[in-house]
Every structure is written in structure tokens, then in C-alpha cells.
Amino acid sequence: MVESKSISKTGTPPTLRLGFLVFVVLAVLTAVEFAFALYFNIWFLLALMAILKGGLVMYYYMHIYKLFEAEKDENRESFAYKLATNRLGLWFFMLSDGFIFGGLFISRFNLLGLTRPDVNQLLGVTVTSVLLVSSFFANRAEVSMEHGNRNQAIASLVVTITLGVLFLVGVLGVEWRIAPFGPGDGVQGAIFYSMTGFHAFHVLTGVIFLSIVIRNLVRGRYSAEKHWGVEAAVVYWHFIDFVWIFFYPALYLIGTLPH
Amino acid sequence: MRKFFSLGLVRGLIWQVIGTAFGIGLVTGVRALMRLPAWKAEPAVVVGALFGALFFLYGVGVLDDWLKWANGEETSDEEVDETGLGRRRYFGASQDHKVIGIQYLTLALILFTVGGTFALIFRTELVKPGMQFLTPLEYNTLMSLHGIVMIVGILIGISAFMNYTVPLLIGARDMAFPRLNAFSFWIAVPAGIILLSSLFLGGFDTGWTGYPPLSVRAPLGMQMFFLGVSLSSFSSILSALNILATVIRLRAKGMTPFRLPIFVWAAIATSIISLTATQLIGLAFQMVMLERLLGMGFFDPVKGGNPVLFEHLFWFYSHPAVYVFVLPGLGVISELLPVFVRKPLYGYKWVAMSSLGIALTGFLVWGHHMFASGMAEYLREPFMYSTLLVAVPTGVKFFSWVATIWKGKISFPTPMLFVLGGIVVFLLGGLSGPPNATVSTDLLLNNTYYIVGHFHDTLFGGYVFPFFASIYYWWPKMTGKRLNEKLGKLHFWLMGPGMLILTLAMMRVGLLGMRRRVADYDPALGFQSYHIAMTLSGYLVALSILIFFINVFLTMKRGEVALGNVWGSRSPEWQVASPMPVHNYDKPVVVVGEPYDYGLPGSRYVKFEGED
Amino acid sequence: MKHIFIIAILVIASTFAIHTGLSSIGLLPAQASAQAVSIDQLFGIYTWAIAFVFSLIVVILLYSLVVFRRRKGETGEGAHIEGNTNLEIAWTVVPLLAVFYLAYLGGKSLGETRRVDPSAMVVKVVAGQWYWQFQYPDYGFGSGDLYLPVGKQVDLQMTSNDVIHSFFVPEFRLKQDILPGRTVDLRVTPTVIGSYKVSCAQLCGTNHAYMIANVVVVSQADFQAWVTKQLATASQDPALHGLQLVQQFGCAVCHSVDGSKKVGPTWQHLYESSVTLADGTKVTADDKYISDSIINPNLQIVKGFSPNVMPQTFGQTLDDSQIQAIIAYIESLK
Ligand code: HEA
Ligand code: HEA
Ligand code: CUA
Ligand SMILES: [Cu+2]
């Protein structure tokens, strides 16, 4: 009984409508970002957009605020207490992981400056929107789980994974083939393939993680009160999206083509 | 025999062999399918080693529970009482932080011995000008391996400190994530094996810094170096994560931030660095691996790459790393001093904050390794200021130690000797730092033996001495027996002078212009006598370590039994009988006073729930 | 109070003792460049600072260890002192000022070493595994030794052929890494006539230890004489030209001409002699063999030496006439 009480303490679960609103805003911002890039390519405007989007994702989708709601003194063995500890662990992990991407990000600007690899713009926006939509569904899955709506959760996760796989196909299957340069061709090759590669690897792990969660959902291993597995997988998925929010402009939008 | 094969370690090793074979086969097969010449050593070996490590982890059994979870099965969080297993449990995937701590400790000592032995070998070569029994490549390989093995050994060693003591000091039952804890330890084992395998795969001649483009041309051993270090970096990242979560979530009742044992503050500061910065050395190394495997031109000027970028990525970790090496050591010094001078730690709050101060400033100073590297000119001065800034929080520690000893009632058992030795030696090392930190003087010192002297002093004073201090101090807690005092003191009185001669001679020749990382030197320089001195003192240190091993061996056989509060300490772990019970504290710990109120009659730090 | 007084005395005493000790043994190598001056001043300040801080800590430490040691059979605890905020602030702020002052001095002396003399003589330095080349664009020839006129600033424009190397002359106090694919410059003003060694200070592979060349600082007149000699020999006798190339391309790093064994076999009596190869076969060192050994060293490996040590690149960097000149030189050592 401790559990459900402490759950309700961490605020009533957010509604699906909120998730949808956030999604719309993100979509609009992405469109604006793209337009910016096309018409007047000012890097700090793009950076600003990315930070804005990142902030939204981190707050509403990854609900970072839950970290600070962890109640202090209560039974160490209770589910709620362990849940809070696990959240902390997950966030530390993502913080640490973030430094890898940060390093790649820095390297990109050190090596390419304000030029960008010559890649397919259309494909770029497509995969980006695919990932964006996927994280909307990921959020939907988590929220419906909190409301105890298991089937909706399963359905949403299936969509999420499909979109995730689509993203992989888009980047590894198509972009890597049609790109006019290979990993060995100049720094742009090195940077482009390493950044997309490292990110794609994380997407892959995310997909695996999510499919495990689905399997256990189907087997009814999670409940409205106890579904850390779902939450973790979803938050991790948002983290991957969060990274891409910065990689996308860095690889596709910021700067001019080298000539 | 059966028993033997049921040991996690053995199973892990067997699986590692299988995995390596599998990986090599995989690459060769794929290449064959792609109609490439099937056999290409480098990718095959790299992938092989990678799979070897993964299979090892499976074989040793640290993945079991996670696989169960993935399968939707529940696993109990109750620590299983393994005492039945006796010694055997130290060879398997235990989740008890005390067992893991001791496992870390053993691994650290092994690496320390191996790395040191490398040093003895190449030091012997340096006794005479001209090449005696090593080729230049062999020298460079041994020298580089000495460096990296010692450093990995340190990282393992501090994990040993922190894993064993932190949960005890904060009165927790175990770490926050026991499974992750086991994982962090066991990944270090295959990592170490891979690292050392470089010796047999052509070696590598880049030093522990592995700068490209040289590391792009180096023999295959280079890849094993990169892979081994990358893997072991996960070990320190994950155990840092664990420590932080543990300290934040599992402190005993009433243990407010400024009632934490001071060592825990050091552990926090260290873990902040390891958790974040470590990723960048992994990244930098993986980038070179990719450059070697796929020709990605990150650092290849011909392709527009930039070698200096590597140095930035590398040092962004590797400077803070040096504070990872020392902060726990300095923490141990602050932790043990009050016990042996029977006086409160002087200025607790400032000491606690100085750890954080060192850690955070440490993030802003990496450029001081690159003053001569040809990095952007305008970066030199800011890095000079930030670097010198670190002297301030470090100074705070020294002054507070001195003030703590002042008017104490000082006794000198072996741990105290190592603490004092650590203080003096680290002071030497520290004070040799600022001359490197000002750009103009560093233009002489950079890449000379002076630097080598500087960091052997800091490493010995900040890590080796405190490391042994805490071994002698917590040994009764770990085993219920007490290490022999006579041998302990002998160990100290051999190691101290030995390493002082070693490092002072290094600084001397360095100032006179002796380059580091040279397999041979011109007799005309007239440094031979110093080199002989260094080598001999190196052997002296080795001897002292040997004596330590003998001490351990004898104590295990028939050591003085010590079950009580040997040192009359106030901290919780000493309030219960040694060796520590499986569940640490049967009754939860409650903090009722200041940690170091020695000399305040009737005061207590902790009591146990239910007691009065 | 008594304590404090004694300690003060001791600290001062040991500070002076340490400082005199350090400065009497002569810590630094000879000083031979204008840039070195300000650097050495800073080192001077450091010897004082280190002597003082070290004494301060160690004296108080040892003093307490003796005075406050637990005597035989003595029981009880130490004084219960938890701290003193003013004192703690003091020992944070004072070092803070100290280090900022040091940093300021560092910046100042760095400025000194970077001072630019527009009339500086340019020397292009090319570093490679494992040789030094010095080209004098003003005169249009190269050399294996770095000849410098005394008292004149030289602007070394340095680049590397392969990996990172580092230009280091202890007597000049200066060091600068040399990066492939770009030119970094270093300015030196030699002030003392004499001969020094430039050694590579950045680990650059197997023979890093042997990557050393001569630095010869001479008077203006001698420098001119040397220049004219260089220009002359380049045209005349091929053997002399060969010698020049041998120095320029750093062969001398590994090959002696006095029979002594360095990284590579000596060239004394090499020409027309019979060489035993690693596989046991004997060959006579005729022109063909020698030029082969230069262009493609791994073709025949001399007994007692290992392949891949001698650079493979001379085939490209040397043209036929140059190789002929070198052979002529080796012949002259017959
Ligand atoms: C244990 C690890 C450790 C520690 C703690 C330190 C501490 C410091 N180190 Fe060191 N360092 C290394 C390990 C460490 N170092 C290693 C391994 C290398 C070589 C890497 C390689 O190239 O292989 C290196 C190299 C290195 C360099 C690069 C040199 C070069 O390659 O050209 C520099 C340059 O600034 C430097 C500076 C410092 C400074 C300023 C400190 C300061 O933190 C010291 C601060 C302490 C004190 C100053 C003493 C106590 C202070 C007081 C009593 C207060 C009063 C003092 C003053 C006012 C001065 N170190
Ligand atoms: C904790 C770190 C640590 C420690 C303890 C040591 C210990 C020693 N180190 Fe070194 N050292 C480094 C870290 C360390 N080192 C690093 C990071 C480098 C830089 C590498 C680079 O430039 O890339 C370096 C480089 C370095 C050099 C410079 C090499 C060069 O630039 O060419 C030298 C040269 O003298 C040296 C010497 C020694 C010696 C003689 C010891 C002695 O103290 C060792 C004493 C011996 C032991 C500790 C082992 C005990 C042995 C036994 C007990 C024998 C019995 C055997 C059994 C019981 C099985 N070390
Ligand atoms: Cu060139 Cu070392
Ligand atoms: Cu550093």
C-alpha cells in the first residue's frame, strides 16, 4: 500500500493531452528550425531552437522534475524508495553518456567549423520527424501505463519501435549508402559516420530495450503502480531523441557546404 | 576439479577464449562473404577481443540477474549469505560490496606488481648508456605499459577503497546497485587481460598518452591498449555512478552533509569526475581505433584532421583523472589523522569543500599538459591561471592537516606512518607542480624527467602511501587479523627513502634537460650516476612491496587476531565486531554527533537504533 | 607562544638552508639564449617559494610530531579544537594571492620569450622519423646541423613529415612541439657561442631517443664563412655534396663513419666490402647494393640489424644525382 500512496505523492500522472501539446510545439519548432536553416542560416538561432526543444523534451517527456520529488526518509525497502534511487541511477547514466555525444559534438565544430557534410536534406528532416513522432508515442505509452491502460501502452510502444527501426533504416540503410563520401573521405566523412554511428548504436539499444519491455508488458509484468521498466525504457528513448535534437542541426543545418 | 570449474573466474576465462575465437571467426567470415581477403589481423583481433570481454562477463555470471529481468522474472534483493563458500566466493560474481572491495583490492595489487615489475625491467636497461638487453621498441612498450598498467591499477585501487569503505562509513547495508557493482568490477578483469595482451601483439610505442598520428602507425598492440583502457573506463564510470547514488540515497539517519565522514566527501568529488570526464578518454581512444580500422581521418592532417584535438579530448579526462587518483588518498589522510592524533579534524567544512573545489577546478586546467603542443596561443595564459588555482584548495588540506596534528596526542602505528609519509611526499610532488604550471618555465620542463619526478611524487604521496595506510588500517576490519607491525614499519622505512631518492634524482636530471621516454641517453650528458641511483632505489621500493606481500602471507597464516576497535576510532564500522558481518549492521546506524569529536568527553558519533 | 617562536626560527632557518642547498648544486643547465633570462629569473623565485612552503609545512609537522607525541604510558585525548574561521580564511586567501602573483610572473616571462624581432633570420625546420633538416631559405641550401649566428634572433618555422616531434634545446630553455601538416614557429636568440644539441622531446617512435642534431652557435663572421663553404661544396666534389646530404637527411643519426655501430651499420670500409645479410648470404656493397639499401632498405637486411628501422622514404625524398653523391661519399670512406 505504501507504493500507491507514494506514487500519488509524486503528483497525479500527466494527461495524454499534455504530451500531445508538447509534441505539436516540438513539431512546429522543428519546421521553423528547418525554414531558418534554408533561408537565413544563423547558427546561434539554430542553436537556440535546439536548446528550446531539448528543454521541452527534458522537462515534459523525460520529466526530470521527478528526480527532486523523491521523498527522503521512509522505508528503504519500499518500492517507492527504490524507484527514486533507480531514477537517480538512470539520470547519472544519461549524464555520463551525454559526455560521449558532447565530445563528438565538440569535435565536429573543431574539425568542420561552420561547414557541414554534404548530405541529403530531405532525408534529414524525414528521419528527424520520424524520431520526433516516435518519442510522442513513447510518452503516450508511459502515460497510459500510469493510467493503467496496458493495451494502449503496448500499442504505442509497438508504434515507437517501428518508427525507431524506420529511423535506423533511414540513416544506416539509406543515408549511409547515398552519401557522396565514405567514412575514410576527409574529416566530414569521419565526423558524419561517427556521429550518426554512435547515435544509431544507441537507437539500436533503445529498440532492444523497448522490445523487452513490450514482451513483459504483454506478459502482464507491469502495473499502474509498478512499471519502472516502462519508464526507464521510455526515458532512455527520449534521451536518444534529445541527443538527435542537437545532432540534427549540427550535421544537416548549421554551416555551409564545403567547396 | 569440478569445484574448480564452478568458480566464476574460471568460467569467465573459458568463455573469454570462446568469445575471442568467435569474434575472430565472425570478422573473417564476414570478410569472406564480402569477397575481401578473408584474413586481416587488425579488425579480427579487435572484434575478437571485444567479444571475448562480453563473453567473459556472461561466463562469470554478472549478467544472470539482468537476463532474468529481461525475461520478466523476479530476483530477490536479499544478499545471500555466502560465508559458507569461504574463500571461493572471492572468485565469483558476488554482490556483497565488501567482497567486491576485496576483489578490487587484489586486482589492484596484482596490476601494481606487474606494472612495477615492468618499471624494474626498463630501469635496469637504463643503468648503462646504449642498448643492453632491450630493443628501443621493447623499451617503449614496457615504459608505456608501466604507465598505463599503474594508472589502471590506481583506478581499480580507488574503487577498492570506495567500495569497501563508503557503504560502511555511511551505515548502509550495501551499494545502491549491487549487480551493477559486480559488473563494474568484473569488466575490469578482461579489460586488464586485453591491455596486457598488447605486450604479445607487437607492443606499442606511444607512452600512456597514445598521441596520434604515432598511435595510428603503431603496431597491433596499440589497439589492445585502446580497447583495454576503453573497457576499464566503464568500470570506473559505473562504480562512480554507484557511489554517488549510494551516498545520496543510503546514508544513515541523521547523517547530514556536514556529518559525513570526510573520506565520503573525497569519494563524492572523485566520483563526479569519473562519472563524467572518463567518457572522453574512451571516446578519444575509440576515435583513433576507428581511424586505424576504417581510415576515418579525425587526427590525420592529410585528411584535414587535427592531432591537437586528440590531446584536448585526452587531457580533458586525463588531467581530472590525476585528481581522481589523489582525492581518495587525501580523503584517507584526513580520515585517519584524527584517529591517531586523538583530535578533531581541523576545519572540517573547508576540507570537505576543498575536495569539491579541487575536483571542479580540475575540469578547467587540462591545457597545462599542452603548453608546448602548439595549441591556440591565447589558451596558454588562462590555463596557467586555472592550474595554479588548484594549489589553493590543495593547500587548505595541508594546512588543516598540520593544524590537526598540532597539540594532538600522537601515536605512530604503521597506518599513521604511511599517512605522514603521504603528506610529506605529496607536498613535494605538489610543490613541484607550479613550476610546470607557469608556461614559460614549463617550456623547459615539459617532457623531461622533471615531470616524471613530479608525478611519481604526487602519485606515491597521493595514492600509494594512503593506499597502504588504508590497507594496514582496515585490514583487521576485512579479515579479523592485524598485519604485523614490525614488517609494516620495515615496509615503510624502505619505501619512503627509496621512492624519495628515485623521484628527487628524476627531478634533478630533468631540470638538467634529460628527456623522458628515451630508451637510451648520451653518456656525454653525465647522467649515468643518477640513473644508477634511480634504478637501485626502484629496486628498494620493489623490495619494500615484496616485504608487504610477505607480511600479508604471514598474517593470513598466523596473524595476531584483532576483533575489536583496534584503533579506537569513532566511525560506525569500528563499533561492530570484525570481520564485518554479511549485512554490515544488524541494527540501523543513527548519527548522534560530530564525526571527529575526539577529546570531547562523552560525545559519540553514531549509535545503533534501539540503543540509548 | 613559545612554540610559535621556535617554529618561526626553524622555518626561516630551513628555508635559507634549502634555498642555498638547491642553488649551490646548480639546478639548471648553462644559459645560452636571450629568452632563457626571464625564465631563469622565474625559476629563481620558485626555488624561494618552494623552499619556504616546504619548510613551513614540514617544520610544523615534525615539530608537532616530536613535541606532541604520546609519551610512554600516557593516556587521554588531544585538545578539542575544531577550527578557527579567520585562520582558515587566511590560509585560503594568502595562497590565492601568491598563485595569482606567480601566474602573473609566468605571463610576463612568457611575453618576453615571445618577443618578435622583425629582422629575424628564418630557418625552416623539417622533423621526421628520425631526423632533423634545417633549410636556410635566405641562402637556398639545407643542412643537418643547425648553425646560428650569435646575438641574432632566428625564427624557426617548423613542420613535421610524419608524427609529432618536439624541438628542445635545454640551454635555450625552449621547447615546441612540431606538428605534421602545419607550421609552428619558435623564436630563439642565442647569446653564447658554442655547440649544443637539439633533441626531439616528443615520443615519436622506435628511435625517438636518437633523434638528435647539433646546434652550433658561431660569430657572425664564422656564420658567413660557413654559408659560403656550404654554397661552394654543393657545386664541387660530389663526395662533399654527399656528406652535406648525409647530414641534411640525418643518415648520420644512425650511420657512423668511424666504424662504431649505431642504430645502423657503419659506413667505414663499407664500399666494395662484402656484407653479410640477415639470411646469411654475402653480397658485395657495390653502387647497386648501396642505392638499393637506400631506396628500399628492407630489400636486404644487414646481419645484426632489424628491418623497418631505416626509413623507407628516401626513395622519394632523394633523387638519383643525390643518391649518386651519397654513394660517392660512402666510397670516399673506403
Ligand atoms: C596524482 C596526480 C597528480 C597531482 C595531484 C598533480 C598535481 C599538480 N600537477 Fe601534475 N601531473 C601528473 C599527476 C599529478 N599532478 C601526471 C601523471 C603528469 C604527467 C602526465 C604525462 O604527461 O604523462 C602531470 C603533469 C603536470 C603538468 C604538465 C607538465 C608537462 O607535461 O609539461 C603540469 C603543468 O602545469 C602539472 C601541474 C600540476 C599542478 C599545478 C598540480 C597541483 O594540483 C599541485 C597543488 C599542490 C601544491 C601546490 C602543494 C600544496 C599547496 C600548498 C602548501 C599551498 C601553498 C602553495 C603555493 C602557494 C604554491 N602536472
Ligand atoms: C602509481 C603510479 C606509478 C608508480 C607506483 C610507479 C612506480 C615506478 N616508476 Fe613509474 N610511471 C608512472 C606511474 C607510476 N610509476 C607513469 C604514469 C609513467 C608515465 C609513462 C609514460 O611516460 O607514458 C611512469 C613512468 C616512469 C618512468 C619514465 C620512463 C620514461 O619516461 O622513459 C620511470 C623511469 O625511471 C619510472 C620508474 C618507476 C619506478 C622505478 C617505480 C618503482 O616505484 C616501482 C617499484 C616496483 C613495484 C611497485 C612492483 C613491486 C615488485 C615486486 C614486489 C617484485 C616481486 C614480484 C612479485 C611479488 C610477483 N616510471
Ligand atoms: Cu621525434 Cu621524438
Ligand atoms: Cu594535469
Side-chain angles (χ1 to χ4, degrees):
Chain A
M1 205 47 236
V2 188
E3 288 74 11
S4 50
K5 188 169 113 284
S6 58
I7 286 296
S8 55
K9 229 190 277 168
T10 64
T12 47
T15 56
L16 289 170
R17 240 175 85 256
L18 178 63
F20 183 70
L21 283 177
V22 175
F23 168 73
V24 174
V25 178
L26 287 170
V28 173
L29 285 175
T30 314
V32 178
E33 186 183 28
F34 190 65
F36 269 162
L38 282 186
Y39 296 113
F40 40 96
N41 192 322
I42 307 171
W43 68 267
F44 66 81
L45 272 180
L46 296 172
L48 205 69
M49 299 299 260
I51 294 172
L52 212 62
K53 286 164 69 181
L56 285 171
V57 169
M58 189 172 276
Y59 190 82
Y60 288 105
Y61 280 176
M62 301 169 77
H63 43 72
I64 186 169
Y65 52 82
K66 284 193 185 174
L67 268 184
F68 310 102
E69 294 174 349
E71 58 286 299
K72 302 281 167 295
D73 272 329
E74 66 152 290
N75 172 10
R76 294 275 163 96
E77 298 309 309
S78 76
F79 177 80
Y81 199 86
K82 287 186 173 158
L83 177 68
T85 312
N86 290 340
R87 282 205 185 110
L88 194 62
L90 178 64
W91 275 92
F92 278 144
F93 174 79
M94 294 189 296
L95 171 69
S96 171
D97 211 11
F99 270 71
I100 296 185
F101 295 111
L104 284 164
F105 198 74
I106 303 285
S107 311
R108 176 248 180 269
F109 284 101
N110 176 289
L111 292 178
L112 292 181
L114 282 184
T115 67
R116 59 181 162 83
D118 168 11
V119 280
N120 184 324
Q121 284 300 338
L122 190 59
L123 199 54
V125 271
T126 324
V127 290
T128 307
S129 1
V130 167
L131 204 55
L132 186 60
V133 180
S134 84
S135 58
F136 162 71
F137 279 99
N139 173 262
R140 188 156 174 273
E142 187 186 0
V143 174
S144 25
M145 200 59 220
E146 283 175 340
H147 292 285
N149 184 343
R150 192 168 122 242
N151 296 343
Q152 198 176 20
I154 296 174
S156 324
L157 282 188
V158 172
V159 182
T160 315
I161 290 191
T162 338
L163 293 170
V165 173
L166 267 179
F167 175 86
L168 284 177
V169 174
V171 174
L172 308 188
V174 187
E175 185 73 278
W176 279 21
R177 281 186 194 290
I178 64 174
F181 48 79
D185 305 339
V187 269
Q188 65 165 351
I191 284 296
F192 178 74
Y193 284 90
S194 55
M195 282 173 85
T196 47
F198 270 87
H199 182 262
F201 176 73
H202 281 72
V203 177
L204 188 65
T205 51
V207 167
I208 297 171
F209 198 173
L210 285 172
S211 17
I212 293 174
V213 168
I214 290 189
R215 181 144 168 280
N216 288 331
L217 259 173
V218 175
R219 302 223 217 102
R221 294 280 193 281
Y222 302 116
S223 67
E225 290 75 28
K226 299 190 176 190
H227 54 270
W228 166 241
V230 182
E231 180 182 341
V234 166
V235 171
Y236 180 68
W237 188 260
H238 289 309
F239 169 67
I240 297 165
D241 182 36
F242 175 84
V243 171
W244 188 252
I245 285 177
F246 291 88
F247 272 24
Y248 170 59
L251 284 173
Y252 287 81
L253 304 182
I254 290 182
T256 56
L257 290 174
H259 30 244
Chain B
M1 209 51 208
R2 194 78 172 296
K3 269 171 111 63
F4 177 74
F5 280 107
S6 69
L7 288 178
L9 179 59
V10 179
R11 272 187 279 117
L13 291 173
I14 296 170
W15 276 98
Q16 184 170 15
V17 176
I18 300 172
T20 315
F22 172 77
I24 294 176
L26 190 69
V27 172
T28 323
V30 171
R31 288 180 63 86
L33 290 182
M34 293 166 68
R35 298 210 175 57
L36 299 162
W39 174 250
K40 190 148 177 279
E42 190 146 330
V45 173
V46 171
V47 177
L50 196 56
F51 274 97
L54 293 178
F55 279 40
F56 178 99
L57 290 169
Y58 172 75
V60 78
V62 287
L63 305 182
D64 294 359
D65 281 5
W66 290 337
L67 295 175
K68 287 215 188 81
W69 292 358
N71 212 356
E73 301 167 30
E74 292 292 330
T75 57
S76 86
D77 283 351
E78 279 302 312
E79 302 93 338
V80 271
D81 184 343
E82 295 161 323
T83 34
L85 285 168
R87 285 247 165 71
R88 294 167 50 77
R89 70 185 153 147
Y90 292 103
F91 296 92
S94 166
Q95 294 180 11
D96 178 346
H97 76 95
K98 298 184 290 304
V99 175
I100 294 176
I102 291 170
Q103 290 171 324
Y104 268 119
L105 180 62
T106 323
L107 183 57
L109 283 169
I110 292 172
L111 289 174
F112 186 57
T113 309
V114 172
T117 315
F118 288 154
L120 299 184
I121 298 171
F122 73 70
R123 272 260 40 116
T124 316
E125 166 65 50
L126 286 172
V127 166
K128 259 173 84 218
M131 299 313 286
Q132 276 60 255
F133 57 94
L134 293 175
T135 67
L137 178 60
E138 286 164 353
Y139 176 94
N140 289 344
T141 304
L142 286 173
M143 179 272 293
S144 315
L145 269 176
H146 163 68
I148 196 64
V149 168
M150 283 300 194
I151 282 177
V152 173
I154 296 180
L155 292 173
I156 305 293
I158 62 161
S159 297
F161 283 139
M162 300 197 300
N163 262 286
Y164 191 86
T165 56
V166 167
L168 297 185
L169 288 171
I170 65 175
R173 283 183 81 192
D174 202 320
M175 295 286 248
F177 307 111
R179 294 173 188 78
L180 192 66
N181 203 16
F183 180 88
S184 335
F185 167 72
W186 283 104
I187 193 169
V189 176
I193 294 173
I194 291 172
L195 183 57
L196 288 173
S197 72
S198 62
L199 196 53
F200 311 101
L201 291 172
F204 59 99
D205 55 2
T206 62
W208 77 282
T209 49
Y211 283 0
L214 183 59
S215 54
V216 177
R217 305 159 170 244
L220 178 53
M222 198 75 226
Q223 291 283 29
M224 296 299 105
F225 162 83
F226 284 144
L227 190 59
V229 176
S230 306
L231 287 175
S232 63
S233 76
F234 288 113
S235 173
S236 41
I237 291 172
L238 293 176
S239 67
L241 187 160
N242 222 334
I243 294 283
L244 284 174
T246 310
V247 173
I248 294 176
R249 298 292 295 165
L250 301 184
R251 292 194 311 276
K253 275 211 177 51
M255 193 175 275
T256 55
F258 288 118
R259 284 184 169 187
L260 281 170
I262 199 72
F263 176 77
V264 177
W265 274 107
I268 295 173
T270 306
S271 303
I272 293 176
I273 299 174
S274 310
L275 179 69
T276 53
T278 313
Q279 294 286 14
L280 286 187
I281 192 179
L283 177 66
F285 282 5
Q286 284 147 27
M287 282 161 99
V288 184
M289 292 177 79
L290 289 171
E291 179 159 349
R292 286 177 65 112
L293 290 171
L294 309 175
M296 294 172 121
F298 299 105
F299 311 121
D300 174 0
V302 179
K303 292 183 172 172
N306 173 10
V308 179
L309 172 62
F310 175 90
E311 299 184 28
H312 279 296
L313 294 174
F314 177 84
W315 288 117
F316 181 84
Y317 165 69
S318 294
H319 178 82
V322 307
Y323 296 120
V324 171
F325 303 160
V326 287
L327 283 171
L330 306 188
V332 165
I333 296 181
S334 309
E335 182 73 36
L336 301 198
L337 262 185
V339 180
F340 294 110
V341 302
R342 314 308 300 169
K343 225 174 128 272
L345 178 66
Y346 198 94
Y348 172 99
K349 282 193 179 148
W350 290 62
V351 178
M353 287 303 111
S354 70
S355 291
L356 287 184
I358 294 176
L360 299 183
T361 354
F363 273 100
L364 309 173
V365 308
W366 76 89
H368 66 219
H369 294 271
M370 301 165 60
F371 283 150
S373 71
M375 72 173 169
E377 180 74 30
Y378 64 84
L379 287 179
R380 282 168 152 186
E381 290 222 13
F383 275 124
M384 172 165 63
Y385 276 88
S386 58
T387 302
L388 282 162
L389 208 56
V390 185
V392 176
T394 321
V396 170
K397 286 191 187 297
F398 275 91
F399 295 124
S400 117
W401 291 335
V402 171
T404 307
I405 294 172
W406 185 253
K407 287 188 187 311
K409 281 250 179 299
I410 308 162
S411 53
F412 302 93
T414 311
M416 179 61 164
L417 288 182
F418 278 93
V419 166
L420 295 171
I423 294 178
V424 175
V425 172
F426 185 63
L427 180 63
L428 258 178
L431 287 174
S432 63
N436 314 335
T438 45
V439 181
S440 55
T441 41
D442 183 55
L443 293 182
L444 170 63
L445 302 176
N446 171 268
N447 274 317
T448 64
Y449 260 75
Y450 181 88
I451 304 301
V452 179
H454 157 71
F455 66 74
H456 279 85
D457 263 342
T458 46
L459 287 166
F460 265 95
Y463 171 75
V464 177
F465 279 87
F467 178 69
F468 282 115
S470 43
I471 291 181
Y472 283 98
Y473 180 80
W474 274 295
W475 193 267
K477 207 20 75 183
M478 291 191 274
T479 64
K481 288 180 174 180
R482 176 176 180 168
L483 285 167
N484 178 305
E485 277 290 310
K486 279 205 177 48
L487 288 175
K489 293 206 159 86
L490 184 60
H491 171 195
F492 173 79
W493 287 114
L494 286 177
M495 189 165 109
M499 59 75 52
L500 276 177
I501 302 170
L502 177 71
T503 52
L504 290 175
M506 284 171 169
M507 294 193 194
R508 171 84 174 126
V509 290
L511 273 168
L512 291 173
M514 169 90 197
R515 300 172 288 158
R516 65 189 280 200
R517 294 170 172 171
V518 287
D520 190 3
Y521 54 95
D522 181 356
L525 296 167
F527 293 151
Q528 190 180 2
S529 47
Y530 291 106
H531 276 290
I532 295 173
M534 284 188 234
T535 307
L536 293 180
S537 49
Y539 277 101
L540 212 57
V541 178
L543 178 64
S544 71
I545 309 276
L546 199 55
I547 289 173
F548 165 76
F549 281 122
I550 295 170
N551 192 350
V552 169
F553 178 76
L554 292 180
T555 311
M556 284 194 186
K557 278 239 157 323
R558 43 178 154 69
E560 166 196 348
V561 179
L563 303 178
N565 187 345
V566 187
W567 318 109
S569 160
R570 292 165 57 94
S571 67
E573 82 271 24
W574 290 105
Q575 311 310 320
V576 298
S578 312
M580 208 65 193
V582 183
H583 294 301
N584 293 357
Y585 303 100
D586 327 349
K587 302 210 209 64
V589 178
V590 186
V591 173
V592 295
E594 298 298 323
Y596 301 108
D597 268 344
Y598 294 96
L600 184 66
S603 74
R604 270 167 93 192
Y605 177 33
V606 293
K607 71 181 178 64
F608 294 103
E609 215 162 76
E611 286 180 6
D612 54 333
Chain C
M1 259 318 68
K2 178 169 115 290
H3 291 314
I4 308 297
F5 183 69
I6 301 172
I7 285 176
I9 304 287
L10 288 174
V11 170
I12 294 167
S14 92
T15 305
F16 278 90
I18 295 178
H19 180 266
T20 30
L22 287 179
S23 37
S24 63
I25 57 173
L27 285 179
L28 297 168
Q31 184 192 81
S33 80
Q35 287 73 13
V37 178
S38 65
I39 294 178
D40 287 4
Q41 284 166 350
L42 190 49
F43 270 116
I45 295 172
Y46 268 123
T47 19
W48 276 115
I50 291 175
F52 172 67
V53 178
F54 185 75
S55 313
L56 184 67
I57 305 276
V58 172
V59 165
I60 305 181
L61 190 71
L62 295 179
Y63 184 86
S64 332
L65 293 186
V66 176
V67 176
F68 304 120
R69 72 182 183 283
R70 183 177 292 268
R71 311 246 177 347
K72 276 251 171 311
E74 198 176 6
T75 57
E77 308 281 74
H80 182 268
I81 311 168
E82 289 192 328
N84 171 336
T85 313
N86 297 337
L87 191 56
E88 287 158 27
I89 291 176
W91 70 41
T92 312
V93 173
V94 174
L96 189 66
L97 301 175
V99 291
F100 274 144
Y101 181 60
L102 286 171
Y104 162 75
L105 292 176
K108 211 157 114 281
S109 59
L110 177 63
E112 304 276 323
T113 65
R114 304 289 297 173
R115 188 166 288 146
V116 173
D117 171 359
S119 72
M121 172 179 79
V122 173
V123 175
K124 287 194 164 9
V125 180
V126 179
Q129 286 174 316
W130 291 270
Y131 56 85
W132 294 99
Q133 284 177 41
F134 306 100
Q135 273 137 19
Y136 292 74
D138 311 11
Y139 310 103
F141 67 82
S143 157
D145 297 339
L146 178 58
Y147 269 73
L148 297 174
V150 69
K152 183 166 172 52
Q153 188 178 70
V154 49
D155 174 8
L156 301 166
Q157 299 178 350
M158 310 190 285
T159 185
S160 160
N161 273 342
D162 33 49
V163 303
I164 304 177
H165 303 273
S166 188
F167 181 98
F168 177 39
V169 181
E171 291 79 2
F172 293 169
R173 302 286 188 275
L174 293 177
K175 189 178 284 105
Q176 176 59 55
D177 284 9
I178 305 174
L179 299 160
R182 73 167 138 126
T183 306
V184 288
D185 76 330
L186 177 68
R187 290 170 179 273
V188 190
T189 317
T191 51
V192 180
I193 291 179
S195 69
Y196 313 93
K197 293 247 183 288
V198 52
S199 46
C200 172
Q202 187 63 268
L203 180 53
C204 54
T206 314
N207 289 316
H208 161 63
Y210 299 106
M211 189 167 160
I212 302 173
N214 295 317
V215 179
V216 188
V217 178
V218 293
S219 68
Q220 283 289 352
D222 295 356
F223 184 74
Q224 283 311 327
W226 176 74
V227 169
T228 36
K229 181 159 147 296
Q230 292 291 311
L231 291 170
T233 47
S235 50
Q236 299 159 5
D237 174 359
L240 278 175
H241 184 209
L243 169 59
Q244 217 175 63
L245 292 165
V246 166
Q247 290 172 339
Q248 174 178 347
F249 285 89
C251 318
V253 175
C254 304
H255 295 287
S256 79
V257 294
D258 57 3
S260 69
K261 177 179 174 229
K262 286 166 116 178
V263 180
T266 180
W267 288 345
Q268 192 183 32
H269 315 312
L270 169 61
Y271 195 75
E272 293 297 341
S273 72
S274 95
V275 180
T276 327
L277 299 179
D279 54 21
T281 56
K282 287 191 182 306
V283 295
T284 41
D286 51 13
D287 292 23
K288 167 135 190 4
Y289 165 80
I290 294 182
S291 63
D292 287 351
S293 319
I294 298 174
I295 293 163
N296 184 352
N298 287 353
L299 212 57
Q300 301 135 312
I301 298 301
V302 184
K303 196 167 193 319
F305 295 90
S306 34
N308 303 326
V309 175
M310 170 160 166
Q312 315 285 312
T313 51
F314 294 121
Q316 299 92 53
T317 46
L318 292 163
D319 63 36
D320 275 356
S321 63
Q322 291 174 310
I323 293 183
Q324 287 317 318
I326 291 177
I327 295 175
Y329 167 64
I330 294 180
E331 183 173 3
S332 71
L333 302 167
K334 187 168 163 189

